Amino acid sequence: MPKMKSNRGAAKRFRVTASGKIKRHSAYHSHILTKKSAKRKRNLRQESQVSQADTPKVRKMILK
């Protein structure tokens, strides 16, 4: 049977922490930044965690 392949697009977007949680980057920080406040842009730089509902789906995509 062939090897299981990870979803390469997902593997580049998500990281697994040492405790097993999955980190992601915030959306809405790539363009049209002039109308967004400095506080909003600063907060969008922070990484956040994938929601509990989506974690099993993401884990299946990124782990071989």
Side-chain angles (χ1 to χ4, degrees):
M1 193 164 172
K3 283 196 253 184
M4 293 293 290
K5 291 188 177 183
S6 59
N7 183 313
R8 297 313 294 161
K12 293 168 189 174
R13 286 171 171 82
F14 300 102
R15 295 281 178 262
V16 181
T17 63
S19 62
K21 295 173 183 169
I22 300 175
K23 295 191 298 185
R24 65 172 178 84
H25 286 288
S26 301
Y28 310 112
H29 192 58
S30 56
H31 59 90
I32 315 177
L33 298 174
T34 52
K35 64 174 76 170
K36 294 171 188 161
S37 67
K39 179 180 179 180
R40 184 174 168 194
K41 288 186 280 190
R42 188 167 56 247
N43 288 333
L44 287 171
R45 275 187 239 139
Q46 309 302 318
E47 288 184 333
S48 54
Q49 290 181 8
V50 173
S51 68
Q52 281 188 327
D54 294 328
T55 299
K57 289 176 259 187
V58 174
R59 190 178 299 282
K60 187 177 178 183
M61 283 193 287
I62 63 175
L63 301 177
K64 303 167 214 56

